Amino acid sequence: MSEQINEQELVQYIASKTGVEPASIKLVLRHEQAFIDSAKTNAKGEVDIDSDELVDYVVSRPDVKLDELKVESVLDAEMDYLTEQGLAGYID
């Protein structure tokens, strides 16, 4: 992504959609980034992320106190934000 994401705006957006406190949102996003950073790229240089594996990874972190549904809602709201900003989309 060439455009910078306003983290504060993103966190506020997610909080308004999910009701999750900002500190927990930041924690989920930090673990999400670690998961993505450790993912292997394919021959095209793309990373295929399985959303179930990502949610399981985040929930399994000892400092995450949210349940699976809350983590999933945070990640879904993040994707909604990125899509609305034109920074991400879904591949069919």
Side-chain angles (χ1 to χ4, degrees):
M1 283 181 236
S2 59
E3 298 180 43
Q4 288 287 41
I5 296 170
N6 181 331
E7 183 184 9
Q8 183 176 357
E9 183 179 291
L10 171 62
V11 170
Q12 288 175 343
Y13 177 92
I14 294 170
S16 72
K17 294 283 187 183
T18 64
V20 175
E21 64 184 54
S24 293
I25 293 168
K26 289 178 183 180
L27 190 59
V28 168
L29 297 178
R30 188 168 58 239
H31 286 305
E32 174 196 27
Q33 190 60 53
F35 182 86
I36 292 169
D37 289 346
S38 68
K40 304 285 187 246
T41 57
N42 63 19
K44 296 179 185 177
E46 300 168 335
V47 176
D48 185 27
I49 302 295
D50 180 286
S51 61
D52 292 332
E53 289 178 12
L54 173 57
V55 170
D56 289 345
Y57 173 82
V58 173
V59 170
S60 73
R61 302 297 89 192
D63 54 347
V64 174
K65 304 301 182 210
L66 301 175
D67 63 31
E68 190 173 321
L69 290 175
K70 286 288 189 186
V71 169
E72 194 170 313
S73 69
V74 167
L75 296 173
D76 287 346
E78 177 197 23
M79 189 62 178
D80 291 345
Y81 174 85
L82 295 174
T83 302
E84 288 176 15
Q85 300 297 313
L87 300 171
Y90 291 97
I91 299 173
D92 294 328

